[in-house]
Amino acid sequence: MKKNIAIVAGGDSSEIVVSLKSAEGIYSFIDKDKYNLYIAIVKKGEWAVKLPGGEHTPIDKNDFSFRENGEVKHFDFAYITIHGTPGEDGRLQGYFDLIGMPYSSCSQLVSALTFNKFVCNNYLRSFGVRVSDSIRLFRGQTVTDEEAVSRLGLPIFVKPNDGGSSFGVTKVKDASQLQPAIAKAFAEGNEVMLESFISGTEVTCGCYKVGCGSGAARKEVVFPLTEVVTKNEFFDFNAKYNGESDEITPARISSELTEKVQREASKIYDILGAKGLIRVDFIIEADGEPKMLEVNTTPGMTATSFIPQQVRAAGLDIKDVMTDIIENELQKVGK
């Protein structure tokens, strides 16, 4: 009997539009001969499953079940593709842990850790991962222009610290722009991160590992790198999703440098104890050393997103990658 898979999209932040696009992508990637697929929308005021006819039916939050044609149906697995809260910050993972639902992404702890960029970067710094200097502000806290520039130099990136994409991000090139940029970032969350600018070649690397603890042979897949050449000041929302950048896979760098970045991404995966697909973004500085920008535990999964590009460049089938991730988690719970 085919398993029922929930592709969980939506969320409570500005990134809902990205999440819904990713849900459509994942729906097209997963093998429909093996699984029954449903898109489940989770956001404030609405937990519902989209049925094949287009209508929505409520989700019972007690066990994440739903009704179709009068019959109660249960999911066997949740593929989380919410960018932002509650699907990227560990909240939904905690709920699924409580009801015993296997899911695609990192654990509650790892999701919460990586969602908070300042905490994640400084945690990884303690393991020797190279990251930028940064300042964190909680709502109500302030930093003077002089202090920020003295500590971080210019330009400074100002971004929501507890957000999952590119909303509310500003590249500050003059100190007079700093306070408006901080206010813009606070409009997206309760914490703001000021980060020193890194000059170099921007690349991103996806990877996943399965077979850990399930009795199956361990399989580690680190994809080819994507080089990001944006036409804008930085890789903002329009660059990511509206075609205002060039994404070159594989990246135009040496094989030695490619392998160095891939090893670093794999190392970060293991340090965190990650699960499922993740993507790690880097800047390769002039000295040839990669500096990590951030870790994304629910990467975008539209047809043109980085991970699908990298899967194709690796000569792999995205359906096989999805099956790896789903079956690995189902085996852990004996399904």
Side-chain angles (χ1 to χ4, degrees), residues 236-251:
D236 59 9
F237 182 84
N238 285 329
K240 278 187 179 180
Y241 302 110
N242 293 328
E244 296 178 10
S245 67
D246 294 321
E247 300 166 5
I248 303 158
T249 310

Side-chain angles (χ1 to χ4, degrees), residues 14-15 17-18 21 165-167 232 234-243:
S14 301
E15 296 164 84
V17 291
V18 183
K21 287 182 180 179
S165 190
S166 298
F167 289 97
N232 303 339
F234 62 96
F235 194 52
D236 59 9
F237 182 84
N238 285 329
K240 278 187 179 180
Y241 302 110
N242 293 328

Side-chain angles (χ1 to χ4, degrees), residues 4 16 24 27 130 135 169 201 213 244 280 285 291 325:
N4 293 327
I16 185 170
E24 293 173 3
Y27 188 91
R130 300 173 76 248
I135 297 170
V169 182
T201 302
E244 296 178 10
V280 188
E285 297 186 289
K291 186 173 279 188
I325 290 165

Side-chain angles (χ1 to χ4, degrees), residues 56-306:
H56 288 65
T57 184
I59 290 171
D60 184 340
K61 295 179 183 177
N62 290 298
D63 57 6
F64 211 67
S65 62
F66 66 103
R67 285 185 174 271
E68 184 177 16
N69 298 323
E71 177 187 354
V72 175
K73 293 195 172 181
H74 295 85
F75 287 112
D76 299 289
F77 179 86
Y79 199 108
I80 301 172
T81 188
I82 293 178
H83 308 296
T85 189
E88 196 170 4
D89 58 2
R91 298 181 187 187
L92 196 57
Q93 287 80 357
Y95 163 76
F96 284 139
D97 286 338
L98 285 172
I99 66 170
M101 173 80 71
Y103 52 87
S104 59
S105 62
C106 293
S107 68
Q108 180 182 17
L109 173 62
V110 176
S111 297
L113 173 66
T114 53
F115 190 70
N116 190 301
K117 300 177 181 70
F118 181 88
V119 172
C120 181
N121 284 14
N122 283 280
Y123 174 74
L124 290 172
R125 187 200 297 269
S126 70
F127 289 89
V129 176
R130 300 173 76 248
V131 296
S132 289
D133 293 329
S134 56
I135 297 170
R136 176 171 62 169
L137 299 176
F138 293 100
R139 189 172 295 280
Q141 291 182 330
T142 60
V143 64
T144 66
D145 299 348
E146 294 77 10
E147 180 184 0
V149 173
S150 174
R151 290 176 60 180
L152 304 177
L154 285 171
I156 296 172
F157 275 105
V158 180
K159 61 183 74 173
N161 188 48
D162 50 352
S165 190
S166 298
F167 289 97
V169 182
T170 306
K171 182 181 179 181
V172 171
K173 295 190 285 187
D174 186 273
S176 63
Q177 303 169 335
L178 190 62
Q179 300 307 321
I182 291 172
K184 178 182 176 181
F186 268 127
E188 294 291 337
N190 293 311
E191 300 178 29
V192 167
M193 180 178 178
L194 287 68
E195 190 173 33
S196 61
F197 173 71
I198 316 168
S199 178
T201 302
E202 183 168 354
V203 296
T204 185
C205 181
C207 60
Y208 74 97
K209 304 185 183 187
V210 294
C212 311
S214 65
R218 183 175 174 84
K219 179 179 181 180
E220 302 185 5
V221 180
V222 184
F223 298 123
L225 308 186
T226 299
E227 179 182 351
V228 182
V229 183
T230 179
K231 302 167 187 175
N232 303 339
E233 279 289 341
F234 62 96
F235 194 52
D236 59 9
F237 182 84
N238 285 329
K240 278 187 179 180
Y241 302 110
N242 293 328
E244 296 178 10
S245 67
D246 294 321
E247 300 166 5
I248 303 158
T249 310
R252 300 169 299 180
I253 59 176
S254 69
S255 57
E256 293 80 10
L257 193 48
T258 294
E259 290 169 6
K260 179 185 286 189
V261 175
Q262 289 174 321
R263 286 195 301 271
E264 191 71 359
S266 179
K267 168 186 164 183
I268 289 167
Y269 193 105
D270 292 340
I271 291 170
L272 292 171
K275 183 164 69 74
L277 278 167
I278 74 165
R279 200 191 74 229
V280 188
D281 301 339
F282 299 91
I283 295 285
I284 302 172
E285 297 186 289
D287 61 2
E289 292 298 322
K291 186 173 279 188
M292 193 201 78
L293 294 176
E294 62 180 86
V295 179
N296 191 326
T297 59
T298 56
M301 290 294 286
T302 68
T304 57
S305 293
F306 291 129

